[in-house]
């Protein structure tokens, strides 16, 4: 029986009374109070959590600052932050910095409120304000460590870029802070055939990442029963049979899978619930969508998946990517979509930059400061 | 994210969804959607005209709901999607398991078909 449990039918005995009194004697009310923190979400030490107090904390590049930030765009003494645990908002004051302090994308003047969840950008550094109980901080740090491990594991499974031969590859994989369920890869099937794929599991977090790793391992090891890996339809059908959502915690995924034959220059491909990949010619005059209309993987058992093929001219690129590449909230707080993103594919190459870096830089310029909302996964395959 | 359920007749509910159907948005309504729309096994037409963004967690909610209704011998239809949301529905080919219409009357006709 517990305090306030007046409806309990358990009889009160001498023993339970002793236990209750003993519990009351050791009971201490919670004295936790919320504290202000800022967390580095982009910059020199991602994940670092800095506590704010009544006394202002000075941020800058100079050695005399409380938090020294190694960033050439940050002034010697850039800004000051403080926060009282009894108040929800912290405050921030710009110290006449050269390049400015920006809260949620707006340059501030003097002292302003710094609300929980708000983003502060100075130079190339972005911080998020958190107002948490110490127990919440411990939990967040534990979760952050788990996510970091999962992030490293997914990255370790990605193939190395191919820099020579008839097929070249480069890619960019930037998991979001929550870690999404993207995975991709490629490999030679035979001397003359090459397969590439990308999957995007619904949801975020370690669960989605684990699921994407399971799918990726099946594809890497070619471990689908009775499946010809040269046939995209068969591969998607077998994945659908193996990964039904009711057997995998309600998770489904979208997928794109393609097989290129070096002798015939034919690319056979199929997609399931995934936006198109795009084939861009060497002159960058057009971006041809490569998509077949099929339901996502895991939604319904026993489905067939249609495939298609296209001839690939020398010097063409194929861009395969997840929706996190284009579903971004812009600095003007509008929603970007695939149609907004597509012109980037035919934009001129940038000397000294890989295609995936060029496109990431362009997206990052459009998106709100800080990490992207979803995983950024982009694979570029060049067919010489 | 908001969810409103109102009966159209004895066997069909109208469900109006408003807001962004991303992870945080779906977290706010999924339990009520399952309890108030799926559990009773009534047919449902889902009004998407107030949905400004549809992400994978929203699609997942619809697929899981449609499959549960199918097991109960019932079904649901979607209608009123904005151009952006319709584009997502097209990409995932959701119409292969859930009827999708432009208007409520068309959605009702699909349920009765």
């Amino acid at each position: 029986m517990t305090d306030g449990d007046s409806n309990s039918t358990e009889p009160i005995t001498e023993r339970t009374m002793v236990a209750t009194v003993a519990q009351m004697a050791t009971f201490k009310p919670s004295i936790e109070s919320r504290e202000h923190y800022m967390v580095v979400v982009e910059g020199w030490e991602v994940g670092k959590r800095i506590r704010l107090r009544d006394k202002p904390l000075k941020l800058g590049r100079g050695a005399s600052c409380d938090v020294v930030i190694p960033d050439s765009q940050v002034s010697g003494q850039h800004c000051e932050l403080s926060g009282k645990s009894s108040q929800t908002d912290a405050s921030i004051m710009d110290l006449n910095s050269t390049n400015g302090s920006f809260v949620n994308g707006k340059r501030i003047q003097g002292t302003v409120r710094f609300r929980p969840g708000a983003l502060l950008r100075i130079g190339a550094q972005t911080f998020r304000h958190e107002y948490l109980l110490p127990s919440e901080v411990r939990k967040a740090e534990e979760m952050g460590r788990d996510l970091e491990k999962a992030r490293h594991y997914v990255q370790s499974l990605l193939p190395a870029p191919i820099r020579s031969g008839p097929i070249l590859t480069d890619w960019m994989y930037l998991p979001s802070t929550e870690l999404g369920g993207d995975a991709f890869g490629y490999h030679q099937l035979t001397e003359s055939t090459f397969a590439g794929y990308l999957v995007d599991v619904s949801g975020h977090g370690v669960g989605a990442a684990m699921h994407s790793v399971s799918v990726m391992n099946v594809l890497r090891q070619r471990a689908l029963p009775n499946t010809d890996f040269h046939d995209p339809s068969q591969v998607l059908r077998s994945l659908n049979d193996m990964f039904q959502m009711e057997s995998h915690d309600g998770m489904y995924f979208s997928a794109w899978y393609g097989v290129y034959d070096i002798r015939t220059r034919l690319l056979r491909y199929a997609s399931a619930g995934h936006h198109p990949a795009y084939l861009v010619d060497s002159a960058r005059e057009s971006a041809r969508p490569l998509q077949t209309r099929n339901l996502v993987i895991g939604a319904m058992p026993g489905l067939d998946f249609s495939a298609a093929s296209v001839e690939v001219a020398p010097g063409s690129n194929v861009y395969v990517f997840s929706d996190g590449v284009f579903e971004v909230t812009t600095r003007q707080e509008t929603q970007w979509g695939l149609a907004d993103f597509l012109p980037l594919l035919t934009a001129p190459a940038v000397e000294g930059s890989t295609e995936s870096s060029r496109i990431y830089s362009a997206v990052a310029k459009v998106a709100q400061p800080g990490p992207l909302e979803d995983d950024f996964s982009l694979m570029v395959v060049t067919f010489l | 994210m908001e969810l409103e359920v109102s009966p159209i007749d004895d066997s069909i509910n109208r469900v109006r969804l408003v807001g962004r159907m991303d992870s945080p948005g779906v977290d706010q309504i999924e339990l009520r959607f399952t309890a108030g729309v799926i559990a009773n096994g009534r047919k449902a037409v889902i009004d998407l005209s107030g949905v400004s963004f549809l992400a994978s967690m929203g699609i997942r909610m619809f697929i899981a709901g449609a499959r549960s209704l199918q097991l109960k011998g019932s079904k649901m239809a979607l209608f009123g999607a904005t151009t952006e949301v319709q584009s997502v529905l097209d990409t995932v080919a959701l119409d292969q398991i859930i009827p999708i219409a432009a208007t409520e009357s068309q959605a009702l006709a699909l349920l009765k078909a």
Side-chain angles (χ1 to χ4, degrees):
Chain A
M1 181 172 177
T2 57
D3 236 353
D5 192 1
S6 56
N7 294 324
S8 172
T9 53
E10 186 185 343
I12 299 171
T13 63
E14 190 177 327
R15 197 171 162 186
T16 54
M17 285 294 285
V18 170
T20 305
V21 170
Q23 282 161 6
M24 287 172 69
T26 56
F27 175 75
K28 286 181 184 166
S30 169
I31 51 167
E32 276 195 323
S33 61
R34 289 183 185 275
E35 301 291 350
H36 296 274
Y37 301 87
M38 54 176 200
V39 182
V40 183
V41 291
E42 192 175 38
W44 98 105
E45 208 170 331
V46 173
K48 186 181 175 73
R49 181 174 270 102
I50 301 159
R51 186 172 162 188
L52 306 179
R53 300 170 191 274
D54 283 8
K55 187 185 165 204
L57 194 74
K58 196 173 284 176
L59 275 64
R61 200 157 36 85
S64 62
C65 291
D66 302 303
V67 179
V68 179
I69 300 172
D71 181 340
S72 59
Q73 297 171 56
V74 171
S75 295
Q77 296 197 349
H78 199 105
C79 61
E80 277 184 355
L81 288 108
S82 61
K84 289 188 169 127
S85 59
S86 57
Q87 293 174 358
T88 311
D89 295 344
S91 67
I92 171 167
M93 179 168 70
D94 184 77
L95 301 172
N96 295 319
S97 63
T98 308
N99 294 316
S101 304
F102 297 81
V103 173
N104 290 339
K106 288 181 187 157
R107 186 167 184 163
I108 62 165
Q109 305 290 339
T111 304
V112 300
R113 281 181 173 187
F114 192 28
R115 295 183 189 280
L119 293 174
L120 162 68
R121 182 170 63 80
I122 57 173
Q125 318 298 317
T126 306
F127 305 87
R128 185 179 57 240
H129 176 209
E130 290 182 350
Y131 183 52
L132 299 175
L133 297 169
S135 57
E136 291 172 335
V137 171
R138 283 194 295 277
K139 207 172 281 179
E141 286 177 343
E142 199 174 303
M143 194 176 285
R145 281 192 292 273
D146 286 348
L147 286 172
E148 195 53 35
K149 279 185 203 161
R151 201 171 286 135
H152 277 294
Y153 180 53
V154 174
Q155 273 169 331
S156 74
L157 296 176
L158 300 176
I162 301 173
R163 304 287 190 213
S164 63
I167 298 169
L168 311 177
T169 62
D170 89 80
W171 49 260
M172 177 74 73
Y173 171 69
L174 290 167
S176 62
T177 38
E178 280 188 78
L179 186 62
D182 288 4
F184 58 86
Y186 42 77
H187 48 248
Q188 293 285 146
L189 289 173
T190 63
E191 272 189 17
S192 58
T193 53
F194 176 88
Y197 53 86
L198 186 145
V199 301
D200 184 354
V201 175
S202 58
H204 292 98
V206 174
M210 281 168 61
H211 196 48
S212 68
V213 164
S214 302
V215 178
M216 182 158 60
N217 281 334
V218 160
L219 290 170
R220 288 169 81 213
Q221 294 158 12
R222 287 165 244 176
L224 290 168
N226 305 317
T227 303
D228 176 0
F229 278 80
H230 290 86
D231 183 345
S233 302
Q234 278 194 38
V235 171
L236 294 190
R237 189 172 60 214
S238 296
L239 285 173
N240 187 55
D241 291 342
M242 185 176 272
F243 291 101
Q244 279 297 300
M245 59 193 285
E246 74 262 14
S247 315
H248 293 90
D249 197 24
M251 285 184 281
Y252 71 81
F253 59 93
S254 68
W256 191 95
Y257 182 90
V259 178
Y260 177 68
D261 190 323
I262 295 166
R263 297 162 304 182
T264 61
R265 300 202 69 89
L266 268 187
L267 172 64
R268 298 180 74 197
Y269 59 91
S271 57
H274 203 78
H275 53 268
Y278 285 86
L279 172 65
V280 175
D281 58 290
S282 59
R284 295 175 182 258
E285 286 174 349
S286 64
R288 174 177 173 161
L290 307 179
Q291 181 189 36
T292 56
R293 196 164 189 279
N294 297 302
L295 191 61
V296 290
I297 304 279
M300 187 67 77
L303 292 178
D304 283 327
F305 291 81
S306 60
S309 60
V310 63
E311 196 172 332
V312 180
S316 302
N317 285 336
V318 167
Y319 299 80
V320 189
F321 45 93
S322 61
D323 55 8
V325 166
F326 59 84
E327 280 182 356
V328 296
T329 307
T330 68
R331 291 174 187 236
Q332 290 74 40
E333 300 198 343
T334 58
Q335 183 69 47
W336 227 42
L338 183 59
D340 304 300
F341 167 78
L342 285 182
L344 294 182
L345 298 182
T346 49
V350 172
E351 206 174 318
S353 175
T354 62
E355 272 297 275
S356 59
S357 303
R358 173 184 74 79
I359 291 170
Y360 171 71
S361 300
V363 172
K365 270 185 197 161
V366 170
Q368 290 199 330
L372 296 172
E373 296 152 64
D374 199 354
D375 288 359
F376 184 103
S377 301
L378 167 65
M379 182 167 69
V380 185
V381 185
T382 304
F383 300 90
L384 298 178
Chain B
M1 185 87 216
E2 291 169 32
L3 173 145
E4 276 173 30
V5 184
S6 54
I8 291 177
D9 60 28
D10 290 345
S11 62
I12 303 179
N13 279 335
R14 177 191 298 111
V15 181
R16 181 164 160 71
L17 299 174
V18 178
R20 283 174 65 87
M21 289 192 76
D22 50 12
S23 260
V26 171
D27 277 351
Q28 289 167 12
I29 58 154
E30 190 163 22
L31 194 60
R32 280 183 291 143
F33 183 79
T34 306
V37 180
I38 306 302
N40 58 37
R42 287 161 63 100
K43 290 179 180 173
V45 285
I46 317 289
D47 180 357
L48 299 180
S49 60
V51 174
S52 56
F53 181 69
L54 177 61
S56 62
M57 295 309 281
I59 300 286
R60 175 167 138 172
M61 188 181 91
F62 290 142
I63 294 173
R67 290 185 65 163
S68 297
L69 282 181
Q70 192 184 31
L71 290 173
K72 295 169 194 283
S74 185
K75 58 182 176 177
M76 63 191 235
L78 309 177
F79 74 93
T82 61
T83 309
E84 292 77 17
V85 170
Q86 184 61 46
S87 159
V88 176
L89 297 172
D90 287 340
T91 296
V92 297
L94 200 65
D95 59 333
Q96 292 187 10
I97 51 169
I98 303 174
I100 298 173
T103 64
E104 182 176 304
S105 57
Q106 288 168 352
L108 287 167
L110 288 170
L111 284 188
K112 287 168 185 166

